[in-house]
């Protein structure tokens, strides 16, 4: 599909931007705050942190040396 030049909006492209008579213009910082991320899953980070710690402890335990004289025999 080739791009072709159209003139569909030539009649409105240079019109001034509409300003509301009833509502003040919203400051850019306030407008941007509407799109900031929010904590939809409260506590999710805590669960992840606990899981990471548990996995790191399990990996450290699995990688530690064992003394066979203590009665540990691998399966």
């Amino acid at each position: 599909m080739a791009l072709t030049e159209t003139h569909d909006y030539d009649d409105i492209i240079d019109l001034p931007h509409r300003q509301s008579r009833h509502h003040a213009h919203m400051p850019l910082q306030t407008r941007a705050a509407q799109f900031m991320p929010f904590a939809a899953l409260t506590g999710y980070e805590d669960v992840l942190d606990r899981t990471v710690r548990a996995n790191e402890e399990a990996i450290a335990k699995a990688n530690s040396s064992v003394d066979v004289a203590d009665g540990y025999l691998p399966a």
Side-chain angles (χ1 to χ4, degrees):
M1 180 174 156
L3 295 177
T4 59
E5 185 176 344
T6 63
H7 299 280
D8 293 342
Y9 301 103
D10 285 349
D11 57 335
I12 64 170
I13 197 72
D14 292 322
L15 291 177
H17 184 73
R18 181 184 171 280
Q19 296 289 331
S20 173
R21 287 182 253 168
H22 304 288
H23 302 286
H25 184 73
M26 183 183 288
L28 187 61
Q29 184 174 359
T30 306
R31 193 169 67 217
Q34 294 179 0
F35 302 101
M36 291 178 64
F38 63 99
L41 301 172
T42 56
Y44 184 67
E45 291 293 325
D46 295 334
V47 171
L48 286 179
D49 291 340
R50 284 196 304 264
T51 303
V52 167
R53 276 195 305 272
N55 286 336
E56 287 174 346
E57 290 171 4
I59 290 170
K61 185 176 179 181
N63 289 335
S64 65
S65 61
V66 290
D67 189 1
V68 180
D70 288 338
Y72 174 80
L73 295 175

